[in-house]
């Protein structure tokens, strides 16, 4: 077993360390979501925490880590008799993004269940994580069906496994910790709300602090055991402080004054529901216990708000998480009534006011895997200098709700909410022989396959004699996420400010729809003499919105270059992710200028998409009393459908993307 990087050797990132420690003190806080750029040691900090968690007493031989003091009466390994127990370290279980449902919740031996009536259950990761830490790296990339299972377990504190009438339940209470890079996409709101606290991390820009990060990391890589030994005393001190804070926690008093501040703060920031109030109360209590106090102070409430509210006040995926600290201070001051007249409460070991319960400060930033600097301002889609024939970027108009644009046919791509697909989840449409391990039993088809052979197999009792060849896998139909590639005309013919604002508003609306339907998105723009990939295909729709917001306009209309660049993007993405089907959304007035025979060249480029069977929609941006209908002609070349900006809002948009083969018939 490798030696983890010591938690106390991490430098800087006080909010991250504090949030993790508060959950170690009080798991009821609800876990931590760590958001930040790559190379900021998010994973290192989480793995380091596991070494500080207090040890557990578990029932000997129980695969579900039952507490010997109060064993789960429904434990599949129970009932447990009083007596033997063992002490071990709390587990940290990692959930891979690509894990199967059976790996997460466990699996039943279907053949034994049918033929013998035996619940032969193999526990999954939720059982392993009970009373420990469940860590999900890149949690924003987790498949929807796994997110649903996590939500259920987090809400009920138990995991349920159902297989055609055979049911197993076991306790599953764990500290949920997730890390993510926002550039790769946002979390579903339901899962986001399940994380008690959230912190934003970034690499330090101070040279001295970065030097310390590198120095510690190199020392650890040279000799992990020796490096850990140097920090053993500090690790033991923090571990002892966690134990002491846990023992003090039941004695901490959350007075009416602090409760009023919590309620007023949540109301002032208009967070949804009551979970924020409860999480803030638990966090403030844990902060007081961590500081060695039995009273919750205003400083604790303030720190709790900074950790518990930013991710709960977002209204759409383009809102940056954060909190107006001036507004927070005004609210706390307005509702800062005290429960007693003691002007100088016990300051605790952290000094007067408890300092918000911060961990010991350091002079250097977070240590860990590697610390990579972000691109400097101006890179990656930032506004280009305004030159001749070019207009500066305009703001998008207000987004609106769009109807579904779908890819025809039935795919087999990643689970999502846009187009029809054969998936592991959805309505049952038939049965087939399993390829590999059986995951979804089709009971009727299995019984039908086994029934003719019962006499030959010597059946003599009530049980059905089932063999492996009889088992049938259910085939299901659900929805998939697609690659929605936006190809946006930013030429001079689109440059009227009011017009471009409406175009950006339409694309922004479609981006919101793509976020809700779990699509990947990409953005190609063309103007002047060339086309640019403003955003390669990604799950981060907010990154696409940022590129769109800063898009300037002007110059000629190299329509063919835009189409050819989009075709090249799809070719490369098809190699990376062949199962994900594309939908091209071309936003243009249909004009083509620049170079020899621009219209004919654009038509030939468009026919490449039709030949590949790529579904497409042309959003016609032509305006004015005289319309040439060029976008409609282009849609015909693409084998797709044209829709005006006005129609994009209307009910008539339903079913715009039809089977591309039908147009050719």
């Amino acid at each position: 077993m490798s030696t983890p990087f010591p938690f106390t050797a991490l430098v800087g990132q006080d909010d991250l360390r504090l949030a993790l420690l508060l959950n170690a003190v009080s798991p009821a806080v609800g876990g931590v979501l760590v958001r930040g750029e790559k190379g900021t040691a998010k994973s290192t900090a989480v793995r380091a925490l596991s070494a500080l968690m207090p040890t557990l007493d578990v029932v000997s031989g129980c695969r579900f880590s039952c507490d010997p003091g109060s064993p789960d009466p429904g434990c599949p390994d129970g009932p447990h008799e009083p007596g033997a127990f063992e002490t071990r370290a709390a587990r940290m279980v990692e959930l891979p993004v690509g894990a199967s449902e059976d790996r997460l919740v466990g699996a039943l031996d279907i053949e034994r269940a049918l033929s013998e009536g035996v619940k032969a259950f193999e526990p999954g990761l939720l059982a392993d994580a009970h009373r420990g830490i469940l860590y999900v790296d890149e949690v924003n990339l987790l498949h929807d069906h796994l997110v649903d299972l996590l939500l259920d377990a987090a809400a009920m504190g138990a995991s349920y496994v159902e297989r055609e009438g055979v049911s197993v339940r076991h306790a599953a209470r764990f500290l949920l910790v997730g890390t993510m890079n926002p550039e790769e996409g946002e979390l579903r709101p339901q899962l986001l709300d399940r994380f008690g606290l959230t912190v934003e991390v970034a690499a330090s820009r101070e040279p001295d602090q970065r030097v310390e990060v590198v120095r510690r990391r190199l020392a650890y890589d040279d000799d992990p055991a020796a490096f850990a030994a140097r920090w053993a005393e500090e690790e033991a001190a923090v571990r002892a402080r966690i134990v002491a804070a846990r023992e003090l926690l039941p004695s901490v008093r959350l007075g009416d004054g602090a409760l009023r501040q919590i309620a007023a703060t949540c109301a002032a920031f208009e967070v949804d529901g009551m979970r924020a109030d409860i999480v803030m109360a638990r966090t403030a209590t844990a902060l007081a216990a961590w500081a060695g106090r039995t009273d919750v102070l205003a400083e604790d409430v303030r720190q709790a708000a900074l950790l518990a509210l930013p991710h709960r006040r977002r209204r759409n995926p383009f809102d940056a998480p954060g909190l107006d600290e001036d507004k927070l201070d005004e609210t706390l001051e307005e509702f800062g009534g005290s429960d007693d007249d003691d002007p100088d409460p016990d300051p605790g070991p952290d000094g007067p006011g408890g300092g918000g319960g911060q961990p010991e400060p350091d002079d250097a930033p977070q240590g860990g895997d590697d610390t990579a600097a972000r691109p400097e301002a101006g890179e990656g889609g930032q506004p280009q200098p305004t030159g001749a024939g070019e207009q500066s970027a305009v703001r998008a108009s207000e987004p609106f709700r769009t109807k579904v644009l779908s890819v025809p046919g039935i795919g087999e791509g990643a689970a999502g909410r846009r187009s029809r697909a054969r998936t592991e989840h959805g309505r049952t449409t038939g049965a087939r022989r399993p390829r590999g391990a059986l995951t979804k039993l089709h009971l009727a088809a299995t019984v039908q396959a086994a029934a003719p052979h019962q006499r030959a197999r010597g059946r003599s009792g009530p049980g059905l004699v089932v063999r492996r060849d009889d088992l049938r896998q259910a085939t299901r139909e659900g929805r998939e996420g697609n690659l929605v590639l936006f190809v946006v005309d930013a030429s001079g013919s689109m440059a009227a400010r009011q017009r471009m604002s409406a175009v950006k508003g339409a694309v922004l609306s479609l981006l919101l729809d793509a976020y809700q339907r779990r699509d990947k998105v990409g953005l190609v723009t063309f103007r002047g003499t060339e086309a640019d990939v403003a955003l390669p295909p990604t799950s981060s729709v907010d990154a696409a919105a940022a590129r769109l917001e800063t898009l300037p306009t002007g110059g000629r209309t190299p329509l063919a270059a835009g189409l050819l660049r989009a075709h090249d993007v799809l070719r490369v993405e098809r190699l990376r992710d062949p199962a994900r089907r594309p939908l091209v959304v071309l936003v243009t007035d249909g004009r083509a200028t620049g170079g020899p025979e621009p219209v004919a060249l654009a038509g030939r480029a468009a026919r490449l998409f039709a030949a590949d069977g790529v579904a497409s929609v042309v959003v016609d941006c032509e305006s004015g009393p005289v319309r040439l209908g060029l976008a409609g002609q282009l849609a015909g070349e693409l084998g797709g459908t044209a829709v005006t900006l006005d129609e994009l809002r209307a009910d008539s948009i339903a079913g715009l993307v039809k089977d591309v083969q039908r147009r050719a018939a």
Side-chain angles (χ1 to χ4, degrees):
M1 182 177 177
S2 60
T3 303
F5 195 94
F7 189 87
T8 51
L10 300 172
V11 289
Q13 306 289 20
D14 287 346
D15 284 345
L16 171 59
R17 292 191 291 158
L18 177 61
L20 292 172
L21 289 170
L22 291 177
N23 275 273
V25 171
S26 176
V29 166
V32 186
L33 175 64
V34 187
R35 299 164 45 93
E37 59 197 18
K38 56 186 177 293
T40 49
K42 302 184 294 292
S43 300
T44 299
V46 177
R47 295 188 177 102
L49 176 68
S50 62
L52 298 179
M53 296 292 286
T55 57
L56 299 175
D57 291 337
V58 299
V59 174
S60 297
C62 178
R63 297 173 298 168
F64 302 89
S65 303
C66 279
D67 184 350
S70 56
D72 180 9
C75 176
D77 284 354
H80 298 300
E81 298 294 334
F85 68 91
E86 59 188 59
T87 301
R88 62 165 176 78
R91 292 173 179 157
M92 192 195 76
V93 177
E94 295 195 38
L95 172 60
V97 169
S100 67
E101 177 182 340
D102 286 346
R103 184 71 187 99
L104 178 61
V105 301
L108 290 168
D109 188 331
I110 301 296
E111 187 171 354
R112 290 189 63 192
L114 283 175
S115 59
E116 304 174 29
V118 175
K119 294 182 180 179
F121 180 68
E122 184 65 29
L125 296 177
L126 290 180
D128 293 340
H130 180 47
R131 303 177 65 201
I133 302 172
L134 181 63
Y135 170 50
V136 190
D137 193 14
E138 306 295 350
V139 64
N140 51 322
L141 304 182
L142 202 62
H143 289 296
D144 275 1
H145 68 283
L146 297 182
V147 170
D148 293 337
L149 294 170
L150 275 182
L151 288 172
D152 288 343
M156 297 182 292
S159 174
Y160 292 84
V161 183
E162 306 287 346
R163 291 291 187 274
E164 309 298 340
V166 181
S167 176
V168 172
R169 172 213 166 274
H170 65 82
R173 292 182 295 276
F174 46 81
L175 169 58
L176 180 61
V177 181
T179 55
M180 60 174 282
N181 183 347
E183 294 179 357
E184 297 172 342
E186 288 294 342
L187 272 180
R188 280 174 54 182
Q190 297 93 330
L191 183 57
L192 185 65
D193 190 50
R194 282 292 171 186
F195 285 97
L197 311 179
T198 185
V199 292
E200 297 277 340
V201 296
S204 171
R205 297 296 181 260
E206 292 295 328
D208 290 343
Q209 294 180 347
R210 297 176 73 95
V211 165
E212 184 63 22
V213 170
V214 175
R215 181 182 292 119
R216 294 191 185 186
R217 184 69 208 190
L218 292 178
Y220 170 77
D221 289 340
D222 288 342
D223 192 341
F227 184 82
R230 284 164 43 194
W231 294 90
E233 186 175 344
E234 289 84 350
E235 292 280 287
V238 173
R239 191 179 299 110
R241 186 175 174 185
I242 292 173
V243 172
R246 281 192 172 190
E247 294 174 350
L248 182 62
L249 188 64
S251 303
V252 175
R253 186 175 69 93
L254 183 65
D256 289 343
L259 279 173
R260 282 195 299 271
Q261 287 183 317
I262 290 170
T265 300
C266 292
F269 286 100
E270 300 180 346
V271 296
D272 295 331
M274 294 298 299
R275 184 172 286 118
D277 303 63
I278 296 170
V279 171
M280 273 190 65
R282 289 171 174 167
T283 304
T285 303
L287 280 162
W290 175 249
R293 291 184 269 101
T294 56
D295 286 301
V296 173
L297 305 181
E299 290 86 347
D300 300 325
V301 175
R302 185 181 193 279
Q303 183 66 58
L306 293 174
L307 293 173
L309 296 188
H311 62 299
R312 290 187 164 87
R313 57 175 300 274
R314 300 182 68 187
R315 290 295 179 264
N316 67 63
F318 308 141
D319 290 339
L323 218 59
D324 184 341
E325 295 194 32
D326 290 337
K327 181 178 179 180
L328 174 60
D329 291 336
E330 291 173 4
T331 303
L332 293 176
E333 183 176 355
E334 180 180 354
F335 293 88
S338 176
D339 295 310
D340 53 58
D341 298 327
D342 183 4
D344 186 23
D346 179 14
D350 285 337
Q358 293 283 356
E360 294 79 356
D362 208 314
D363 294 331
Q366 174 81 19
D369 299 324
D370 57 337
T371 306
R374 290 179 295 184
E376 294 297 328
E379 297 180 3
Q382 293 300 318
Q384 301 177 15
T386 303
E390 183 177 295
Q391 296 188 21
S392 60
V394 298
R395 295 186 62 84
S397 62
E398 285 298 315
F400 52 86
R401 184 174 180 81
T402 67
K403 297 295 180 68
V404 182
L405 301 174
S406 60
V407 178
I410 300 179
E412 294 183 344
R417 298 173 185 169
R418 183 173 296 277
S419 305
R420 294 173 58 198
R422 286 180 286 271
T423 63
E424 289 294 318
H425 301 269
R427 63 184 181 90
T428 301
T429 58
R432 60 172 173 80
R433 292 181 181 273
R435 305 185 189 106
L438 178 71
T439 55
K440 297 289 183 182
L441 178 74
H442 194 296
L443 183 58
T446 299
V447 172
Q448 186 176 6
H453 308 291
Q454 296 306 295
R455 181 176 297 178
R457 293 173 182 174
R459 173 183 170 183
S460 59
L464 190 67
V465 181
V466 179
R467 294 181 180 172
R468 175 69 186 176
D469 290 343
D470 301 326
L471 300 179
R472 294 295 183 268
Q473 175 86 21
T475 57
R476 303 193 175 196
E477 183 178 309
R479 294 281 171 176
E480 67 177 0
N482 297 111
L483 166 60
V484 182
L485 182 61
F486 294 93
V487 185
V488 180
D489 183 351
S491 64
S493 64
M494 304 280 289
R497 297 186 70 83
Q498 185 175 1
R499 185 179 180 189
M500 197 62 196
S501 176
V503 168
K504 287 186 176 183
V507 177
L508 193 65
S509 303
L510 291 168
L511 282 171
L512 278 167
D513 183 67
Y515 165 75
Q516 294 165 352
R517 301 188 185 281
R518 312 299 288 172
D519 294 316
K520 291 180 70 173
V521 297
L523 179 62
V524 173
T525 63
F526 57 94
R527 65 188 180 91
T529 60
E530 60 185 14
D532 295 315
V533 181
L535 184 72
T538 175
S539 296
S540 178
V541 295
D542 51 343
R547 301 295 195 276
L548 181 73
E549 190 70 22
T550 57
L551 177 67
T553 58
R556 294 182 179 273
T557 311
L559 178 57
L563 291 171
L564 291 173
R565 180 60 63 91
H567 189 268
D568 188 56
V569 169
L570 294 184
R571 178 185 60 80
V572 173
E573 193 63 20
R574 193 176 293 116
L575 296 174
R576 293 175 177 169
D577 191 357
R580 189 181 290 268
R581 297 185 297 162
L583 171 64
V584 173
V585 178
L586 175 60
V587 185
T588 181
D589 56 9
R591 290 181 172 83
T593 59
E597 299 183 340
V599 176
L601 187 59
R604 288 197 295 270
R607 287 191 288 274
L608 292 175
F609 292 86
D612 290 342
V614 176
S616 59
V617 173
V618 178
V619 179
D620 185 0
C621 301
E622 192 174 27
S623 60
V626 179
R627 302 199 178 200
L628 303 178
L630 298 176
Q633 297 175 22
L634 183 61
E637 299 279 9
L638 286 165
T641 306
V643 56
T644 66
L645 283 174
D646 291 336
E647 291 171 339
L648 201 58
R649 299 173 180 265
D651 292 338
S652 60
I653 195 175
L656 276 175
V657 183
K658 304 296 184 184
D659 190 340
V660 292
Q661 302 301 327
R662 183 175 63 82
R663 295 184 61 89

